[in-house]
Amino acid sequence: MRTVHVELGERSYPIYIGSGLLPQAAAYLIKHGLSVKSPHLIVTDDKIAPLHLETLKSSLEGAGFRFVISIVKSGESSKSLSVYEEVMTTAIQGGLDRNSSVIALGGGVVGDLAGFVAATYMRGISFIQMPTTILAHDSSVGGKVAVNHPLAKNMIGAFHQPELVLYDLDTLKTLPAREVSAGLAEMVKHGLIKDKEFAYWCKEHASELLLLDLDALGYGLERGVAIKAEVVSQDEREGGLRAILNLGHTIGHAIEAVGGYGEFLHGEAISIGMAGSALLAEALGRGEGIYTETTAMLTSLKLPVVLPDHLNEDDLMAAMMHDKKFKEGTLVFVVPDSIGSVSIVKDIPQTLVRDILKQLRKGGKVNV
Amino acid sequence: MRTVHVELGERSYPIYIGSGLLPQAAAYLIKHGLSVKSPHLIVTDDKIAPLHLETLKSSLEGAGFRFVISIVKSGESSKSLSVYEEVMTTAIQGGLDRNSSVIALGGGVVGDLAGFVAATYMRGISFIQMPTTILAHDSSVGGKVAVNHPLAKNMIGAFHQPELVLYDLDTLKTLPAREVSAGLAEMVKHGLIKDKEFAYWCKEHASELLLLDLDALGYGLERGVAIKAEVVSQDEREGGLRAILNLGHTIGHAIEAVGGYGEFLHGEAISIGMAGSALLAEALGRGEGIYTETTAMLTSLKLPVVLPDHLNEDDLMAAMMHDKKFKEGTLVFVVPDSIGSVSIVKDIPQTLVRDILKQLRKGGKVNV
Ligand SMILES: NC(=O)c1ccc[n+]([C@@H]2O[C@H](COP(=O)([O-])OP(=O)(O)OC[C@H]3O[C@@H](n4cnc5c(N)ncnc54)[C@H](O)[C@@H]3O)[C@@H](O)[C@H]2O)c1
Ligand SMILES: NC(=O)c1ccc[n+]([C@@H]2O[C@H](COP(=O)([O-])OP(=O)(O)OC[C@H]3O[C@@H](n4cnc5c(N)ncnc54)[C@H](O)[C@@H]3O)[C@@H](O)[C@H]2O)c1
Ligand SMILES: [Zn+2]
Ligand SMILES: [Zn+2]
């Protein structure tokens, strides 16, 4: 088993990564002082429930824990205020009190939703994550929890750190191949922003990662969460440094919004976004050759790097203007300097961004 | 002008209390570093808007501030997730960013709602309170913000401290008499829990307070917020001590829930609740004579102390069992020891509480 400690003073917590952890969930919860007197809430989705919920339930029941369960519909549409209210209702009807915990068994959607419930139920109770996707290695570090507003993603949320994260690699075996690739997009992103060696390691071990080889996966997730944890420890509330984690996300979020959440997976969208950032870097005269290097890594992980035709530029620009990355009307982007290093660049003209979108649609640097 | 500092480390903030402050609002906001570049959101209700919104608007406009406005329906029903979502929509459409603020112009309802919006818009932006009720002297200290769930009051919320509180006594002149009394219930509560002299002062100055005499009101609000601030400074997240602020609230919340939010004002409900706590004190052999003393204070402020007949005991008990004050099934009450001092008493049998409700209905100590 691998353990990564996320250092956040009083709010520090461990991430346990390994095989066979979910059947021992109760032992970890007891170790972390979870009350057997108060009822708890498990939040999961209707794809994960038939696959992994029973394992968690039997572990908890065996140890005498009481709990209620919210099973939401699989997919981004569950990150809404109306589903949030339903989960709150289950929590209240289940009699959760201030010593209760909310346990998220699932991917980033379940984690973000359950985390926002935990952050705001009785003004905040304890939160535990049991990620079942690769992408959730990202969402399990940093304490960002949120639901979407019809007008903008992740607009309604809080910072709420988990008590612990229990990452059972075995649950990943049931993940569809497309979700595996999408999750690896955030993994390689962590290399691209801060660790050149790790970025290249991801490319070299692409086939093992795609096949969910336990050793490769364990190491990749450990490095991924460790890099994110390092950034978050230095900037818990996203005052500055933490913004580098948004590499690929400005364009990525716009793609998700315009495509309608659901057409593109988050990881796919940010993969195209990272390709876009690389193009932007070259257009700004930084990081020569970085577009080719970046897209080679992304395609090795079976990720898309071309902006599809049906996504209108005007719509994408409009979506970006609503995005949080735009402070007071100026355009801010995370731009790579080289593999393993990025900068925050302000005052990027909208015309340049439009130009990048056009190039991104053609699959690379072309005269447009 | 009187200023009370709420000491909370990094989250400390001042409360300015005085006459003529709202017309100078912009100057206070500039002093506290509010951005004129980012748009802000004013939240108020449809009773307050025609009376006081113009004053605030002209001050802000005069200083070049940009803002959007959410006017919600007056009353507790606006502390709901659906109104919360509407206010969020206004904020997003208004283009609020991370440097924006949410300004609550109103009573506790507007403050709690707007505060929860501020706490969760983009995971938290700055919050400013401009209270227009006496009761809001209570809600402007402590950072508790919340909306109600159909099953329980204040169940969905956060801790989010304001940047500053601007308390213009002139706005109170338009407050209906019943609201004045209700607000004074929380004021005298602050005396009852921690300051004997102040509790008696409230009774002695009852008629000036009811007539909104500026001197009496200014002093009363200053002491009220100062006492609450002292408690909150010692226990920001309600770990222990802060619970004493709940004097009268366990029964009070049940009265509000069973009566249907709206029949009783919050202050009226907790006034009956404080009478109930005094009865409980005497039943437990603490604080001899405290019931008579307490109810004399409350009635001097034209507050009710008798539980109305139509509120069913079974319903009240059921409502209390849902209340946050019940940890892990045990019943916890704040019970007075004497005027100006209270204790948290655990393990109070439900049968005793039922008995108190019966006495409370008869208006005092009788064999039931
Ligand atoms: N909070 C953060 O810091 C943060 C960071 C990154 C992403 N996110 C959020 O995470 C979300 C995306 O996360 P995600 O990709 O994990 O999405 P997800 O939770 O929707 O999971 C992806 C899909 O896989 C299914 N699934 C999950 N685990 C499975 C398993 N073990 N076997 C079979 N199917 C399984 C789900 O039902 C879903 O259909 C987005 O909403 C994004 O905004 C949050
Ligand atoms: N956050 C906290 O710590 C805290 C503490 C105590 C109470 N509260 C909450 O506060 C709420 C009650 O507060 P409230 O009594 O101020 O309620 P309120 O905001 O509903 O105001 C009472 C009534 O007076 C009207 N009004 C307000 N100001 C006015 C003015 N200047 N002139 C004329 N009319 C005016 C309002 O429209 C409303 O009808 C409850 O929801 C309670 O839960 C919160
Ligand atoms: Zn992401
Ligand atoms: Zn109160």
Side-chain angles (χ1 to χ4, degrees):
Chain A
M1 200 195 53
R2 300 158 189 272
T3 306
V4 178
H5 284 281
V6 183
E7 295 299 338
L8 290 165
E10 277 185 358
R11 289 179 297 285
S12 298
Y13 63 92
I15 302 182
Y16 303 107
I17 303 169
S19 171
L21 299 185
L22 198 60
Q24 306 173 47
Y28 284 90
L29 299 183
I30 289 165
K31 182 177 159 193
H32 282 269
L34 220 77
S35 161
V36 289
K37 285 197 212 154
S38 296
H40 304 284
L41 169 67
I42 299 171
V43 182
T44 191
D45 78 27
D46 60 7
K47 280 196 188 159
I48 302 157
L51 300 167
H52 305 291
L53 182 57
E54 207 43 54
T55 311
L56 175 58
K57 277 174 67 176
S58 14
S59 173
L60 297 193
E61 277 161 2
F65 281 106
R66 289 185 300 129
F67 50 87
V68 287
I69 300 170
S70 253
I71 300 180
V72 304
K73 233 168 113 306
S74 155
E76 186 74 23
S77 67
S78 284
K79 269 176 65 175
S80 71
L81 275 179
S82 64
V83 175
Y84 166 77
E85 183 164 15
E86 282 167 28
V87 178
M88 278 287 177
T89 304
T90 305
I92 296 171
Q93 286 171 340
L96 267 72
D97 61 38
R98 291 197 173 143
N99 297 321
S100 301
S101 294
V102 178
I103 300 169
L105 175 70
V109 164
V110 163
D112 282 9
L113 170 70
F116 189 48
V117 170
T120 54
Y121 183 81
M122 290 182 168
R123 301 194 180 85
I125 62 174
S126 133
F127 175 42
I128 290 154
Q129 298 222 47
M130 305 192 179
T132 66
T133 67
I134 295 176
L135 191 132
H137 87 279
D138 183 15
S139 51
S140 63
V141 185
K144 280 190 175 185
V145 295
V147 296
N148 301 321
H149 184 281
L151 294 175
K153 212 174 127 77
N154 293 328
M155 201 51 129
I156 302 176
F159 285 92
H160 194 61
Q161 305 295 343
E163 288 295 310
L164 74 151
V165 176
L166 197 69
Y167 214 140
D168 186 345
L169 300 178
D170 300 336
T171 62
L172 302 175
K173 287 177 193 152
T174 55
L175 206 54
R178 214 181 132 190
E179 297 290 349
V180 171
S181 287
L184 294 172
E186 299 272 14
M187 187 187 283
V188 75
K189 180 198 79 180
H190 289 126
L192 288 172
I193 60 172
K194 228 181 167 336
D195 186 339
K196 180 178 174 173
E197 243 176 81
F198 180 55
Y200 282 106
W201 178 93
C202 289
K203 192 172 98 177
E204 278 149 33
H205 296 76
S207 57
E208 287 140 273
L209 288 169
L210 289 168
L211 290 170
L212 302 173
D213 170 79
L214 284 184
D215 276 346
L217 205 55
Y219 176 74
L221 291 174
E222 182 185 8
R223 278 304 300 148
V225 299
I227 292 169
K228 180 156 185 190
E230 214 181 295
V231 175
V232 168
S233 299
Q234 289 171 56
D235 178 20
E236 186 175 358
R237 300 294 298 245
E238 202 162 17
L241 177 67
R242 188 161 170 170
I244 66 172
L245 296 167
N246 289 326
L247 178 68
H249 279 62
T250 304
I251 293 175
H253 283 165
I255 292 173
E256 287 181 281
V258 175
Y261 301 115
E263 177 178 355
F264 297 91
L265 298 180
H266 179 68
E268 292 168 348
I270 67 153
S271 176
I272 301 172
M274 288 190 279
S277 312
L279 284 173
L280 186 58
E282 301 203 4
L284 293 169
R286 316 159 73 97
E288 186 59 36
I290 198 144
Y291 173 74
T292 311
E293 284 291 303
T294 303
T295 52
M297 285 174 178
L298 295 168
T299 50
S300 77
L301 297 167
K302 298 202 190 306
L303 285 161
V305 294
V306 177
L307 184 65
D309 276 334
H310 66 284
L311 297 182
N312 181 286
E313 272 144 44
D314 291 335
D315 295 347
L316 290 168
M317 291 305 297
M320 282 189 245
M321 296 311 296
H322 257 121
D323 198 89
K324 285 167 295 191
K325 256 62 75 193
F326 292 85
K327 256 200 182 174
E328 297 176 359
T330 63
L331 287 78
V332 184
F333 265 86
V334 186
V335 182
D337 301 315
S338 61
I339 300 295
S341 166
V342 294
S343 298
I344 313 280
V345 184
K346 293 183 183 173
D347 300 318
I348 292 184
Q350 294 188 33
T351 50
L352 177 55
V353 179
R354 258 180 204 277
D355 210 55
I356 297 300
L357 291 179
K358 288 203 181 84
Q359 291 184 33
L360 200 51
R361 199 188 291 295
K362 309 278 181 196
K365 277 184 295 179
V366 283
N367 289 334
V368 284
Chain B
M1 200 196 53
R2 302 158 188 271
T3 307
V4 178
H5 283 280
V6 183
E7 295 298 339
L8 290 166
E10 277 185 359
R11 288 179 298 284
S12 297
Y13 63 93
I15 302 182
Y16 303 106
I17 303 170
S19 172
L21 300 186
L22 198 59
Q24 305 172 48
Y28 285 91
L29 300 184
I30 290 164
K31 183 178 160 191
H32 282 271
L34 219 76
S35 161
V36 288
K37 286 198 212 153
S38 297
H40 304 285
L41 169 67
I42 299 171
V43 183
T44 191
D45 77 27
D46 60 6
K47 281 197 188 156
I48 302 157
L51 300 167
H52 305 292
L53 181 57
E54 208 43 54
T55 312
L56 176 58
K57 275 173 70 175
S58 16
S59 174
L60 297 192
E61 276 161 3
F65 281 108
R66 288 185 299 130
F67 49 86
V68 288
I69 300 171
S70 252
I71 300 179
V72 304
K73 234 170 111 302
S74 155
E76 186 75 22
S77 67
S78 284
K79 270 176 65 175
S80 71
L81 275 181
S82 64
V83 175
Y84 165 77
E85 184 164 15
E86 282 166 29
V87 178
M88 278 287 178
T89 303
T90 304
I92 296 171
Q93 286 173 338
L96 267 73
D97 61 37
R98 291 196 173 143
N99 297 320
S100 300
S101 295
V102 179
I103 301 169
L105 175 71
V109 163
V110 164
D112 281 10
L113 170 68
F116 189 47
V117 169
T120 54
Y121 183 80
M122 289 184 168
R123 302 196 178 87
I125 61 173
S126 135
F127 175 43
I128 290 154
Q129 299 223 47
M130 304 192 180
T132 66
T133 67
I134 294 176
L135 191 130
H137 86 279
D138 184 16
S139 50
S140 62
V141 185
K144 281 190 176 185
V145 295
V147 297
N148 302 321
H149 185 282
L151 294 174
K153 211 173 126 74
N154 292 329
M155 201 49 128
I156 300 176
F159 286 93
H160 194 61
Q161 305 295 343
E163 288 295 308
L164 75 151
V165 176
L166 196 70
Y167 214 139
D168 185 345
L169 300 177
D170 300 336
T171 62
L172 303 174
K173 286 175 194 155
T174 54
L175 208 55
R178 212 179 136 192
E179 298 290 348
V180 171
S181 286
L184 294 172
E186 299 271 14
M187 187 188 282
V188 75
K189 181 198 79 180
H190 290 126
L192 289 172
I193 60 173
K194 229 182 167 333
D195 185 339
K196 179 179 175 171
E197 244 175 79
F198 180 56
Y200 282 106
W201 179 93
C202 289
K203 191 171 100 180
E204 279 149 31
H205 296 76
S207 56
E208 286 139 274
L209 288 169
L210 290 169
L211 290 170
L212 302 173
D213 170 81
L214 283 184
D215 277 347
L217 205 55
Y219 177 75
L221 291 174
E222 182 185 5
R223 278 304 301 149
V225 298
I227 293 168
K228 180 156 185 191
E230 213 182 298
V231 175
V232 168
S233 298
Q234 289 171 56
D235 176 22
E236 186 177 358
R237 300 294 300 244
E238 200 159 20
L241 176 68
R242 188 162 171 167
I244 66 173
L245 296 167
N246 289 326
L247 178 68
H249 280 60
T250 303
I251 293 175
H253 282 165
I255 291 173
E256 287 181 281
V258 175
Y261 302 116
E263 177 176 355
F264 297 92
L265 298 180
H266 179 68
E268 292 168 350
I270 68 153
S271 176
I272 300 171
M274 288 190 279
S277 311
L279 284 172
L280 186 58
E282 299 201 6
L284 293 169
R286 316 159 74 98
E288 186 60 39
I290 196 141
Y291 173 75
T292 311
E293 286 290 303
T294 304
T295 52
M297 285 173 180
L298 295 169
T299 49
S300 78
L301 298 166
K302 300 202 189 306
L303 285 161
V305 295
V306 177
L307 183 66
D309 276 335
H310 66 284
L311 296 183
N312 181 287
E313 272 145 44
D314 292 334
D315 295 345
L316 290 168
M317 291 304 297
M320 281 189 247
M321 295 312 295
H322 256 120
D323 197 88
K324 285 165 295 193
K325 257 63 74 194
F326 292 87
K327 257 200 181 174
E328 296 176 357
T330 61
L331 288 78
V332 184
F333 264 86
V334 186
V335 182
D337 302 315
S338 62
I339 300 294
S341 165
V342 294
S343 298
I344 312 281
V345 184
K346 292 183 184 176
D347 300 317
I348 293 184
Q350 295 188 33
T351 49
L352 177 55
V353 179
R354 260 181 201 277
D355 211 56
I356 296 301
L357 291 178
K358 289 204 180 82
Q359 291 183 34
L360 199 52
R361 198 187 292 294
K362 309 277 180 197
K365 277 183 295 179
V366 286
N367 289 333
V368 284

